[in-house]
Every structure is written in C-alpha cells, then in structure tokens.
Amino acid sequence: DTGVSQNPRHKITKRGQNVTFRCDPISEHNRLYWYRQTLGQGPEFLTYFQNEAQLEKSRLLSDRFSAERPKGSFSTLEIQRTEQGDSAMYLCASSLPTDYEQYFGPGTRLTVT
Amino acid sequence: GENVGLHLPTLSVQEGDNSIINCAYSNSASDYFIWYKQESGKGPQFIIDIRSNMDKRQGQRVTVLLNKTVKHLSLQIAATQPGDSAVYFCAEGSYGQNFVFGPGTRLSVLP
C-alpha cells in the first residue's frame, strides 16, 4: 500500500475515556500532520512532525491531546478524558520536506457519547 | 460512510456542463494554494495547486485561477461528470507553514 493509512477508521467512546489513533504515513515522507475536521468545515491543523520532532502545535491542541512519532515513522494521537466536543474526524497527512503537497489518509471518525 | 459537509454551500450542475467553484482566502502572504476534493468517507484528495507567481494553471479537465488583488481563487472543472460530485476545499499556505483550509463547497452533478 502506497498511501497514508489510519486506524481505527471509526471509534465510539464514552465521555471521560482515553482514545488513541494511529497514522502510518507514506514511507519516504518525513513530514506528518494531524488535522481535525468537524461536519461542514474544512480540516483544521493540530500539529506536525518532521521525522520524530514535533515542530508545531495549534492552540486547538489542548493539554488533553498528545501526539508522538517516536521513530519518525508512524504517529499516534491520544486524547485523554474525552469530551463530546472532541467528536470529529481526525485526519493525518504526510509530505516530503521539499514538497508543499500533503497526502491525506482516510481519517478516524471519533464519536464521544 | 462519513457524510462530509452537511450544511455546506452547494453548487448543482448538469452532467457535461462546466463547474466553477470559488474561494476567498485570507492571508495576502500565502504563496501556495491547493484545491482538494473530498468524497464521503475519505480524506481530502489533491486536485491541483498554484503558486502565487502564477495566475492560471491547467490540469486534466481542471483549471485554477488566482487573483491576488482580491484574494480570490477559483476551480473550473470542464465537462463535469458524476464522479466529480464531492466537497471541494481550497487551502492556502506558505512553505514551512501549515495550510489553512476554506469552508468547502459541495458539488452535486445532476444526470
């Protein structure tokens, strides 16, 4: 598979629980991005990595959110103590460092009940 | 599958007609613009891009026009097909900065 993959595709959780999502970027891409998308809106930037270094975080990324990319390959996004407002599609994208174009994965749809 | 853009502006066109989707961007310092297509249940898919030193770029059946004076971007799709039905987003950015996406437009192709 040559595209960006994300798991799980869907996650339903109860308020207050922790969830973790995984993103596997395109293998030669060393930049990896996380976005959040709510219904009727475009994706909103959350954070990005170059290799294992997390270079930027949006103010949307509260202290309940943490992202890692320990070996510079796959990344995880964890949300602690989920709230109903966290319900959204979480998108991952990757790119080459010399390229503007970002390739998106299919997303993980989170529903917090 | 995922229902993207329930309350988005909608453009309805007849199959075979040309479509024009518009986008106003906000940052005059942005030097790179992309149009993405998003179908239900899928992530955004790259369509075409343009740099700020250009005002027009053509791809296969698609053309992007950039008007920096009024900060306006448009996507023209020629001979629209049913497979073009999706939500379309423009995104603006600069090298090393992160993209800001517009609100999106739903394109509905009528048979």
Side-chain angles (χ1 to χ4, degrees):
Chain A
D1 187 275
T2 57
V4 178
S5 62
Q6 292 187 247
N7 289 289
R9 293 293 310 277
H10 303 275
K11 178 71 176 179
I12 300 174
T13 191
K14 292 186 177 180
R15 189 176 57 184
Q17 298 295 303
N18 300 341
V19 294
T20 300
F21 311 138
R22 175 175 170 133
C23 171
D24 287 87
I26 294 171
S27 59
E28 63 268 28
H29 288 184
N30 63 357
R31 285 195 173 182
L32 185 149
Y33 306 79
W34 284 100
Y35 291 85
R36 182 176 71 184
Q37 186 177 28
T38 53
L39 283 174
Q41 301 295 322
E44 296 173 293
F45 168 76
L46 292 178
T47 188
Y48 95 93
F49 293 82
Q50 180 154 313
N51 299 314
E52 65 276 10
Q54 189 172 15
L55 297 186
E56 188 172 343
K57 292 192 284 187
S58 162
R59 63 181 178 274
L60 294 174
L61 211 66
S62 76
D63 56 7
R64 297 185 297 104
F65 289 68
S66 62
E68 294 183 343
R69 195 182 183 198
K71 298 182 180 178
S73 56
F74 74 91
S75 175
T76 58
L77 177 68
E78 181 183 16
I79 308 174
Q80 296 181 326
R81 305 181 302 281
T82 52
E83 301 172 356
Q84 286 188 321
D86 297 331
S87 295
M89 174 77 85
Y90 289 85
L91 292 162
C92 175
S94 69
S95 74
L96 293 167
T98 54
D99 200 351
Y100 283 96
E101 184 180 343
Q102 297 176 19
Y103 295 79
F104 282 83
T108 295
R109 177 68 179 166
L110 173 67
T111 301
V112 181
T113 61
Chain B
E2 175 63 34
N3 197 352
V4 175
L6 282 175
H7 305 293
L8 290 172
T10 298
L11 173 67
S12 296
V13 298
Q14 290 292 137
E15 182 178 354
D17 287 352
N18 297 335
S19 304
I20 300 176
I21 302 172
N22 296 303
C23 174
Y25 65 92
S26 57
N27 188 351
S28 57
S30 294
D31 61 7
Y32 185 72
F33 306 87
I34 299 182
W35 280 99
Y36 281 97
K37 172 186 180 183
Q38 189 172 27
E39 298 172 283
S40 288
K42 297 182 179 179
Q45 177 187 4
F46 172 88
I47 301 173
I48 191 168
D49 59 359
I50 188 168
R51 296 179 189 259
S52 61
N53 61 354
M54 303 171 69
D55 54 19
K56 180 179 180 179
R57 189 162 188 230
Q58 289 184 291
Q60 189 174 22
R61 282 202 308 119
V62 294
T63 301
V64 56
L65 299 177
L66 174 63
N67 185 332
K68 295 182 290 294
T69 303
V70 295
K71 293 191 287 188
H72 183 268
L73 198 64
S74 69
L75 176 70
Q76 300 177 1
I77 304 174
T80 313
Q81 302 169 359
D84 295 327
S85 293
V87 177
Y88 290 81
F89 295 98
C90 66
E92 60 173 306
S94 302
Y95 184 75
Q97 302 297 314
N98 300 295
F99 284 111
V100 175
F101 283 77
T105 298
R106 173 181 297 281
L107 176 65
S108 178
V109 181
L110 307 173

